[in-house]
Amino acid sequence: MREFDDLKPAEKVDLTLSKNIYENLEKFEAFLGESSDIIIRKFKLGLNEIPCAVVFVDGLIDKEIVNNHILKSFMCQVTILEENRNRPIDNTQAFEEVKEHVISIGEIEEVSTLKEAMHSVLSGDVVIIIDGFNKFIAVSAKGWASRGITEPEGEVTIRGAREGFTETIRFNTALLRRRCKDPNFVIKSTKIGRRSNTDISYAYIRGVANPKFITELERRLSNIDIDAILDSGQVEQLIQDDYLTPFPQIQATERPDKAIANIFEGRIVILVDNSPFALIVPATFQQFFQSPDDYSERWMFGSIIRFLRWMASFFAVLTPGIYIAIASFHPGFIPTDLAISVAASRATVPFPVFVEAILMEITIELLRESGARLPKPIGSTISIVGAIIIGDASVRAGIASPIMVIIVAITAISSFIIPTYSLSMTIRMLRFPVMILAAILGIYGVILGFIIIFSHLVTLKSFGVDYFIPQAPMYLREWRDYILRLPIQTQKFRPESLDPLDKKRKKD
Amino acid sequence: MDNTQDKLTDTQIMFLVISSIFGVTGLLLPRMAVEVAGVDSIITIIITGIISLMLLRVMVKLSSKYPNKIIIEYARDILGSSLGNIYAFIFTIYLLSISGIVLRIFADTIKGIILPETPLEVIMITMLFTSMYLMLNGISSLSKVCEIFMPIMILVSLILIFLPLKKFNIEEIYPIFSMGIKPILKGIPKIFSAFIGLEMVLFITPFAKDANNILRYSTVGLLIPTCLYTLLVSTTIGIFGIATTKFSLYPTLEIARSINFPGAFAERFDIFFMFFWVLASFSTLSCYFYMTALSVAKLAKLNYYKPFALIIAPLIFLIAIVFPNLQEIFIYSQYIGYLGISILFSNVILYIVYLMRKRRHIQ
């Protein structure tokens, strides 16, 4: 845990709790007093008029709960209780009595240090201070404005749940828990960030996920030293195996169904507060080509589409390179008619093929990026303007050949087909080095690029699991869910490469 | 050994053996075979395959006696320090030369078919660097790349063999045994150079996950190239006849060129084939590069081979560049081929010496 002292180094405050309520409140005020959203409400308890106070942050608590279940019980119902029992609450017994008879809220906790108390207040608990005790009661009454559960926009499926993760971690864990009623389904929590104290939960099924991944994840999480975690993307970058590679080694998803499916396979899902993206570890390359749709539709279509995605990823990386190679080095490789029409269409273009290709590819990247940042209605307009007007106009103006426009369009569409944004970005970027190699060494350069990409891919690991599984090393059993998605009836085993404790999905 | 590396799985061993055997020679083999024994070369290949199978058994048996050592180390144990060192040295030189020859044939083919105007040196250096990047990551990465590339290569080779079958003329393959048994046997040493690469099994024992399975999987790894070779040569002869095959430089590519799919751009299937052939040759080259670097390291009694790769790379380049033309390489590679055969057979002698020593030890 962080050192409490660096919260407010200027003030010298005695951090031990005293039995006197006023001294304790002074300590709270020393830290939180300047902030306008901190509310400290003092009142008297029962017939003996024991001084009490509640401390909470306005906006993080549910006012209904605080008023009805805390303040009302403390001020009115206690006296009714005392009259019925015919004896007032004793000063020495007040703490236990309050816990047992007054607070009508499920989740309460005793806190005995100022640090814990401060933490509870700041994460949305109500801290109750009673005179004569050097411990507090923290009552959970969290309730803040949050975005509801909406459809995940980054990962759309045709057939599949419409729920997506949201920013509040508690909703997200509930989304997972609802999908797995196994008592062995564990959701553990920790806090990261010296100042932000962001909640991080990781979920797995005990007895399925291999403990070596869990201990490794815990080790990596505890090694994180950073002041603030704002998004799960930061966590991803801090715990991944290799940061000198363009390939994502951890999968991020907005979809609870995808996350829970991976948990059932023996992986671990990490949830970060304030981020609608869950992280899945360990991740392998083939996972980035999967979409929940593959499983909910019949296996033949799932297989065909899966295969199409693999093809598309190769197209997206290699097509511009191959075009450059053929057009500028070896026109003899394509049928003569086609070669002639390529040459004819390029006749008016003043640039070499490479320059033309780079220009067009950069243009499409520009369009894509600007379309993504704009509000939706304008974004679609931009892409239409880009696709039709710029494409057409540049051909008419003689800057690009029509075939180049086709190539660029095919590449762009192919990179869109990959269901994971992080990998589709990698693939978009990889085509530029391949284009450069093609411009220097022709088709041989493209092959070299291909070789280098694969030589690099096989060196990668995600939490110690080989990245290019199940192809290298070969796990033939896992090929049932690799380039093809074979019928669910045949998917009897969890991925062997993840070394799950429970290997079979079925009983037999 | 490098403990951070993963151990090799059974399939990885298989693909390592396949890719160190089946690589550059795939393009040249039909011509080599036909030059040697005409139609009967099909039988020569089968016989050579069987002989290499037996050799493989001996080699795996021998290396399994020294589960933590590669040939360079245990040759010393068997032959004694000085003789063993000489043997290891010759072995290393041989590996180095093979790497050079593979690189040169590869670069020449690329230059001849894809990049006529690019200097040979550029092709060689780029290939060598790519290969070095891979082999510096260790044998585990090497085997994984083989695992990715070789299945595709085998598939494409099968397509290449079976697609033009309708042009296949069975009469070209007759008459078998027309010249008697003699040319068949005479051709064996030459054909054997296509099976060089087998020595890979001498290097993988320390890295294998399950050393007991090496024999089984490397046998499969040898059978696959043998079958491919046999099919490839018979298809070539069946389609072109002996005379044409003898005079074409890359007969395998000629077959590829003769394939035309109905429709589309596959007018040049040979380019498509070349793409995958480059992948296969790349893995062959990387295998040899790795073996050479490891041998040199072991020769210097060190476990760490990576720094040696930087010294060996220029040497391989020098060997590759020293030949004036392809013809010279073919002549030289024949001698190296003979050296390779004697090295492969020397394992039998090593094994016998080992057994004798052991018996004496027991007595």
Side-chain angles (χ1 to χ4, degrees), chain A residues 138-211:
Chain A
V139 181
S140 172
K142 294 189 181 77
W144 53 75
S146 68
R147 189 172 66 99
I149 293 169
T150 52
E151 191 176 348
E153 281 175 12
E155 291 167 80
V156 182
T157 57
I158 314 282
R159 183 172 172 180
R162 293 277 185 268
E163 283 177 328
F165 283 127
T166 174
E167 280 79 1
T168 313
I169 194 166
R170 205 32 84 210
F171 295 176
N172 295 346
T173 55
L175 284 174
L176 288 181
R177 180 70 77 181
R178 261 177 42 212
R179 286 171 168 79
C180 178
K181 285 155 192 138
D182 187 338
N184 285 318
F185 178 50
V186 184
I187 301 179
K188 283 191 184 171
S189 291
T190 176
K191 284 186 182 7
I192 293 179
R194 277 179 180 277
R195 287 179 193 278
S196 70
N197 281 307
T198 311
D199 287 304
I200 293 194
S201 296
Y202 46 100
Y204 58 91
I205 300 180
R206 202 191 301 125
V208 174
N210 193 309

Side-chain angles (χ1 to χ4, degrees), chain B residues 92-141:
Chain B
T92 313
I93 292 292
Y94 155 75
L95 288 173
L96 191 65
S97 334
I98 287 279
S99 315
I101 290 173
V102 167
L103 182 64
R104 177 58 188 260
I105 296 180
F106 169 81
D108 257 323
T109 315
I110 294 281
K111 188 175 163 66
I113 292 164
I114 301 183
L115 291 170
E117 276 150 41
T118 309
L120 216 50
E121 291 83 355
V122 174
I123 299 173
M124 286 181 185
I125 289 172
T126 46
M127 196 60 176
L128 212 49
F129 266 111
T130 317
S131 181
M132 193 154 82
Y133 170 68
L134 176 62
M135 61 81 80
L136 282 181
N137 283 321
I139 192 167
S140 158
S141 298

